[in-house]
């Protein structure tokens, strides 16, 4: 009988210890516990938006960032990166960008957008691998565009673009 009484007292004490935080804080959850674990940390003020873009690309590739969060952060950081690049090109005197600098910025944007498009097989459709040279299902060569001039590359073993002569990614 004594063992039963001691066991009951210990069980009540353990239950009180576990439930005590709920009654002391009034059932409120702290701000640290309420924040989702997948939320992105704020970017330091001295980091550039280009660095932030690289970081979220890495986080998405390693599975730390969901597709929805990645899309939202990518849109915001891309705008910031473009603003930073334009501000650097304007210089301290506040002049507008030169036509050559503006064309260079547009070329960077075009290359960035071209990389965002997944390669597509003529038979199997879009492939999940962003840097694939051959279809993972049927083995066909995945035609792509030259990142320098935009010309279509149709030869599987081409190392240079036939239109502009730029080296192609290996």
């Amino acid at each position: 009988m004594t063992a039963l009484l001691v066991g009951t007292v210990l069980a009540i004490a353990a239950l009180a210890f576990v439930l005590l935080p709920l009654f002391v804080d009034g059932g409120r959850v702290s701000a640290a516990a309420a924040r989702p674990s997948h939320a992105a940390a704020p970017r330091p003020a001295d980091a550039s938006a280009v660095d932030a873009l690289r970081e979220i690309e890495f986080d998405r590739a390693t599975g730390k960032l969901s597709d929805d969060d990645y899309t939202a952060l990518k849109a915001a950081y891309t705008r910031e990166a473009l603003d930073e690049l334009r501000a650097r090109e304007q210089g301290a005197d506040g002049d507008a960008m030169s036509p050559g600098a503006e064309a260079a910025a547009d070329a960077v944007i075009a290359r960035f957008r071209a990389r965002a498009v997944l390669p597509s097989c003529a038979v199997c459709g879009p492939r999940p691998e962003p840097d694939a040279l051959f279809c993972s299902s049927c083995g066909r060569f995945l035609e792509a565009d030259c990142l320098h001039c935009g010309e279509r590359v149709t030869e599987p073993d081409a190392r240079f673009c036939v239109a502009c002569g730029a080296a192609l990614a290996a």
Side-chain angles (χ1 to χ4, degrees):
M1 183 73 164
T2 307
L4 184 61
L5 187 60
V6 171
T8 304
V9 170
L10 285 176
I12 292 173
L15 184 63
F17 179 74
V18 170
L19 296 178
L20 183 65
L22 293 176
F23 294 113
V24 171
D25 290 337
R28 287 178 275 141
V29 179
S30 68
R35 184 179 37 174
S37 61
H38 67 277
R43 185 169 52 93
D46 61 338
S48 74
V50 175
D51 293 336
L53 279 171
R54 288 186 189 120
E55 184 67 26
I56 64 170
E57 288 286 337
F58 177 75
D59 287 347
R60 181 176 182 219
T62 56
K64 294 180 183 178
L65 196 59
S66 70
D67 290 337
D68 294 336
D69 292 338
Y70 170 76
T71 303
L73 288 172
K74 180 180 172 186
Y77 290 155
T78 301
R79 283 191 300 272
E80 288 181 27
L82 289 174
D83 291 342
E84 285 178 11
L85 290 173
R86 288 186 178 120
R88 287 181 194 165
E89 290 295 324
Q90 276 184 335
D93 57 1
D95 292 339
M97 285 176 50
S98 66
E102 193 167 332
D106 290 339
V108 169
I109 293 169
R111 276 187 259 144
F112 182 75
R113 287 185 179 151
R115 286 187 203 145
V117 177
L118 292 175
S120 181
C121 175
V123 175
C124 305
R127 305 309 315 150
E129 307 88 8
D131 57 348
L133 296 176
F134 296 91
C135 178
S136 57
S137 295
C138 67
R140 292 178 191 259
F141 175 70
L142 300 175
E143 294 181 3
D145 295 334
C146 173
L147 293 178
H148 186 68
C149 70
E151 183 71 25
R152 196 79 175 153
V153 178
T154 58
E155 296 180 29
D157 55 351
R159 294 182 186 240
F160 298 96
C161 176
V162 294
C164 68
L168 300 173

